[in-house]
Amino acid sequence: MKKPVAIGFILLLALSVVASGCISGGSGETSGITLVVITRHDATIQYMVKQTFLQSDIAKQYNIVDLKFIKVPESLWPSYIEKGADVGWGGGPTLFDDLYKAGYLAPITDEKVLGLIGDPIPTELAGMPMIRKDGDNVYWIAAALSSFGFTVNKKQLEKWNLPVPQKWENIASEEWALNPPQYGIADPTRSTSNTRIYQIILQAFGWEEGWRIMTLIAANSKVYMQSDAVRDAVINGEIAAGNTIDFYGYTAMQQNPDCQYIVPKGESIINGDPIALLKNAQHPEAAQAFIYWVLTEGQAVWMSPDVNRLPINPQIFEMTITKPYADVIFKGENEGKTYGEARPALEKAYQDAINAEGIPFDDKRALETISAVQYYFKATLVDPNQKLHDAWVAIVQAYRDGKITKEQFEQLKAELTAPIEFKDPETGQTVTFTEEYAKKINDKIVKDRNFQDQLVQEWRQAAGNKYDKVLQDLQSMTG
């Protein structure tokens, strides 16, 4: 009778470990360390990092025997951080600044990591921060670079008789008012890269004009839930162009020669994609050793033709490709070459990016309204997108058919893109979504679910009513 009791005790013990929420690799410290990395990077990057890092001298020195990657939506990161994950990696500065503000990041203390800052890793590029500092403490460091623009499918552009766009306002023109829509955007509440694109437009054109341009871009667009779906739709020819971060554009170009990635001249920025030590890291010393590897020889992973990222550390282009890296990164090719020799197009893309004509972008200003912008965009441009699209296409078609004058067209366009008026749930006053209002509600809309629900419903209803009214006004003009 003792065996069932023993089994029961072991089962109870196992259940208690699960209930405790521990997410360590499960192996004891004597048998080596398993680092837990929360990430937004895909399975290809995870595989290459695991294969190359675990063979490295750094992994052996710190007795790191495994990497456990956890790829989850941004909303779930805090719960895994609380449970003791070691490193956060990838997902853009917006995500990491949110984590920093919420107290989920720990300052980096490793002198070797801190010694990289300034040279070879820049503290800023094109006016954008590549590290997040608070006093003397560094909370995140960029591990890769990103620019933002759109990827086009030239064959689809030709099919729809569309010129190659060069600027955001080209996408907002009546040329793109097509059925079905030939441009793609992603829901900002599900895409940090598209959120950054919308923030860039707001600062490039100013708050009110920026929203007008985004309204017309949305009116010309099919909305996808995630940014990779936009990229895939361009590659497959489902749409002619769409919002993309740079490496999605480079991947599209590699998979389909008809594709081209374009950075809107004077209307984009360079971003750093961070890596950070997490506040409850179970292995902070080993975690920072991994961060050091990512920022040095681990930059090799970005060089893979299956990844196509721009490195933060330009020294990678001069490094020689050793056999372990040749086997994993280049499928056995390019051993003995430098990474720059193996990937000249990527090195050129890096030089183009760091020398690109960007906008003076205020990151602090963007952070002050980020959550409000995401929810407002979703409520007014994503949720009622079909109504918006139908109203805009009807206006453009009526103008093309000569049913309304140029003056009437401009009047209806201004009405369609005008700021909505709505009731503030707190004050009961009728207001518009100014930048000041967005700053005021930015924290509350995240923390107060009831407030968020009320406001989103107000916005969605007001936007839908506006689009209905514009269509009615058009019908009144055309009889």
Side-chain angles (χ1 to χ4, degrees):
M1 293 298 292
K2 287 183 180 179
K3 188 178 281 188
V5 174
I7 292 171
F9 175 74
I10 291 167
L11 181 60
L12 182 63
L13 182 63
L15 287 172
S16 69
V17 169
V18 172
S20 73
C22 176
I23 59 168
S24 69
S27 58
E29 295 292 288
T30 53
S31 59
I33 291 171
T34 295
L35 284 181
V36 178
V37 181
I38 316 176
T39 189
R40 295 293 294 151
H41 291 312
D42 64 19
T44 300
I45 293 173
Q46 293 176 30
Y47 170 80
M48 290 184 179
V49 168
K50 193 167 184 175
Q51 291 300 308
T52 51
F53 174 72
L54 294 178
Q55 295 183 65
S56 71
D57 291 339
I58 289 176
K60 291 164 186 165
Q61 180 185 344
Y62 286 85
N63 197 26
I64 302 167
V65 297
D66 199 7
L67 295 174
K68 179 179 179 182
F69 288 104
I70 298 176
K71 188 176 188 292
V72 289
E74 290 88 341
S75 60
L76 296 179
W77 280 44
S79 62
Y80 284 96
I81 293 171
E82 292 289 359
K83 291 174 184 175
D86 297 295
V87 175
W89 186 23
T94 298
L95 167 61
F96 279 76
D97 281 333
D98 284 346
L99 295 171
Y100 159 69
K101 286 195 301 179
Y104 288 118
L105 306 184
I108 290 168
T109 56
D110 187 286
E111 289 301 326
K112 284 179 68 179
V113 177
L114 295 173
L116 297 170
I117 296 171
D119 182 20
I121 293 176
T123 56
E124 69 170 48
L125 271 176
M128 293 299 295
M130 295 296 121
I131 63 170
R132 176 63 65 216
K133 270 188 103 170
D134 184 355
D136 291 331
N137 290 329
V138 175
Y139 284 89
W140 61 250
I141 301 173
L145 297 177
S146 303
S147 66
F148 300 85
F150 33 80
T151 298
V152 303
N153 184 315
K154 290 179 180 177
K155 192 174 284 186
Q156 285 300 109
L157 290 176
E158 193 176 324
K159 175 184 173 182
W160 288 90
N161 199 28
L162 290 165
V164 178
Q166 299 297 331
K167 296 195 170 246
W168 296 115
E169 54 266 44
N170 297 153
I171 307 298
S173 72
E174 50 268 30
E175 285 180 301
W176 285 81
L178 300 165
N179 262 327
Q182 287 303 302
Y183 196 77
I185 63 173
D187 178 348
T189 65
R190 303 284 297 276
S191 167
T192 56
S193 62
N194 272 249
T195 295
R196 186 56 103 185
I197 286 171
Y198 306 141
Q199 291 175 317
I200 290 167
I201 292 172
L202 287 173
Q203 292 201 23
F205 295 94
W207 187 264
E208 185 167 335
E209 184 61 19
W211 278 109
R212 287 184 184 274
I213 286 172
M214 289 195 296
T215 300
L216 293 177
I217 289 174
N220 286 333
S221 295
K222 179 176 180 179
V223 181
Y224 294 83
M225 287 303 98
Q226 292 180 307
S227 53
D228 57 354
V230 177
R231 173 203 62 197
D232 292 345
V234 177
I235 293 171
N236 298 331
E238 181 184 319
I239 52 178
N243 288 351
T244 55
I245 195 167
D246 59 352
F247 62 90
Y248 277 180
Y250 303 141
T251 298
M253 290 167 68
Q254 193 155 18
Q255 291 186 16
N256 183 347
D258 290 324
C259 291
Q260 179 186 357
Y261 171 68
I262 297 168
V263 180
K265 190 174 181 183
E267 296 178 358
S268 190
I269 61 169
I270 298 291
N271 246 8
D273 194 12
I275 189 166
L277 178 68
L278 301 177
K279 73 164 188 174
N280 290 338
Q282 299 297 294
H283 311 100
E285 195 174 307
Q288 291 180 86
F290 173 70
I291 290 171
Y292 179 80
W293 177 87
V294 167
L295 298 174
T296 52
E297 62 183 282
Q299 295 281 289
V301 171
W302 308 140
M303 302 292 106
S304 166
D306 295 326
V307 175
N308 291 307
R309 294 294 303 264
L310 298 184
I312 186 64
N313 186 342
Q315 291 180 350
I316 190 65
F317 292 115
E318 305 304 320
M319 292 183 191
T320 300
I321 303 167
T322 59
K323 189 176 189 311
Y325 285 91
D327 289 345
V328 176
I329 307 297
F330 297 107
K331 299 181 172 68
E333 298 180 354
N334 296 315
E335 182 183 352
K337 292 182 180 179
T338 67
Y339 286 97
E341 289 169 341
R343 296 303 312 275
L346 203 60
E347 186 169 13
K348 184 182 183 301
Y350 171 83
Q351 292 299 334
D352 289 345
I354 65 173
N355 295 315
E357 183 186 335
I359 62 166
F361 188 85
D362 187 336
D363 202 41
K364 180 175 179 294
R365 181 181 171 197
L367 277 172
E368 288 174 340
T369 62
I370 179 172
S371 300
V373 164
Q374 287 174 316
Y375 283 106
Y376 183 79
F377 192 106
K378 177 171 168 52
T380 63
L381 303 180
V382 172
D383 293 344
N385 184 260
Q386 192 63 53
K387 279 189 176 185
L388 169 61
H389 173 73
D390 291 346
W392 173 235
V393 169
I395 292 166
V396 172
Q397 195 60 51
Y399 179 55
R400 286 173 179 159
D401 294 343
K403 294 180 180 179
I404 57 174
T405 65
K406 173 73 170 171
E407 186 180 353
Q408 288 174 316
F409 170 75
E410 293 297 339
Q411 175 192 330
L412 290 168
K413 178 177 166 182
E415 188 182 339
L416 184 76
T417 60
I420 61 168
E421 294 187 340
F422 58 93
K423 186 186 289 185
D424 185 324
E426 280 192 306
T427 66
Q429 295 180 330
T430 300
V431 295
T432 59
F433 189 69
T434 62
E435 188 169 6
E436 290 68 31
Y437 183 81
K439 285 179 188 176
K440 187 181 93 170
I441 66 161
N442 191 58
D443 291 335
K444 188 175 177 68
I445 200 168
V446 176
K447 295 173 181 174
D448 187 334
R449 186 57 187 269
N450 187 51
F451 177 76
Q452 178 194 118
D453 290 344
Q454 288 182 62
L455 202 46
V456 165
Q457 180 58 33
E458 280 280 339
W459 289 338
R460 191 184 294 121
Q461 188 66 47
N465 291 343
K466 179 178 73 165
Y467 305 145
D468 288 340
K469 183 178 183 304
V470 172
L471 206 49
Q472 290 165 12
D473 291 347
L474 171 64
Q475 289 162 355
S476 298
M477 290 176 184
T478 58

